[in-house]
Amino acid sequence: MNSLLPIFMKLENQPCLVVGGGKIAHQKIRQLLESKANVTVKALDISEKIQSLSVTIQKSAYRKNDVKGYKLVIAATNDENINHQVYVDAQQYGIPINVVDQPELCSFYMGSV
């Protein structure tokens, strides 16, 4: 028996945060942009591909509670410690969180396109 509830979220004009600036982050950002979300990207190193998108760029390290004020958060870094902190913070504020390739640290999953 499946314990997941399939839902769709309206993200148009909603603030969403992606922590990470590489290839996987780029894929998730494109999905969010297709949903017309207002995307902020936070990472020390952000690819040129991401920088060319219509997103807000924050070239800085993730700090505790940086998720505050966002409607949805995706952690797409290759650093398990950062991903875990993003998860903990999002859970604290009741913000839906997806940590890429770590289902145990997800409150939602994104379908593959």
Side-chain angles (χ1 to χ4, degrees), residues 16-36:
C16 297
L17 176 66
V18 176
V19 180
K23 183 179 179 180
I24 300 300
H26 181 259
Q27 293 170 347
K28 301 303 180 185
I29 292 164
R30 293 197 48 92
Q31 287 179 297
L32 290 171
L33 291 174
E34 288 174 10
S35 298
K36 299 188 169 121

Side-chain angles (χ1 to χ4, degrees), residues 28 43 65 75-76 95 98 104:
K28 301 303 180 185
N65 298 321
I95 301 168
N98 177 278
E104 69 279 7

